Amino acid sequence: MDGKLRIKISIADRVYPLTVEPVQEEGLRSASKKIDAMIKQFEESYAVRDKQDVLAMCALQFASQVEQKQIDNAIDGDDTIERIKRLNSLLDQYLEN
């Protein structure tokens, strides 16, 4: 454990103790803040009662962003943009119910 830091990251009002390399700390803290901001946005925008549903939607949102970047690097973006719009529309329909 030489050179590693023990930090606590808070996500959705839960604290997670982690042991990380010093170069990872800033990225993890930034990611934690972005997740909490997205949780707040979902809770304010949609009638979501279950915290697990909100976390699942955050995970899907972040994963879709990563996938989108990979797709954009591989092919022309027009088709991809349409696919993402359809996905976002499906997410909006799900969250409105």
Side-chain angles (χ1 to χ4, degrees), residues 16-69:
Y16 299 91
L18 301 171
T19 302
V20 300
E21 297 290 336
V23 296
Q24 294 176 301
E25 181 182 13
E26 184 179 354
L28 287 167
R29 292 193 188 280
S30 176
S32 170
K33 288 179 185 177
K34 288 180 181 181
I35 291 168
D36 279 336
M38 189 176 288
I39 288 170
K40 184 177 179 183
Q41 180 184 359
F42 278 130
E43 288 177 337
E44 289 175 355
S45 299
Y46 304 101
V48 182
R49 294 178 194 92
D50 189 349
K51 189 70 82 174
Q52 185 170 342
D53 288 338
V54 175
L55 290 169
M57 298 312 295
C58 289
L60 181 59
Q61 185 78 14
F62 282 118
S64 70
Q65 290 171 2
V66 170
E67 289 297 319
Q68 182 61 44
K69 286 181 183 180

Side-chain angles (χ1 to χ4, degrees), residues 6-25:
R6 290 183 177 171
I7 63 172
K8 293 180 181 178
I9 297 292
S10 175
I11 299 172
D13 300 323
R14 291 185 76 173
V15 176
Y16 299 91
L18 301 171
T19 302
V20 300
E21 297 290 336
V23 296
Q24 294 176 301
E25 181 182 13

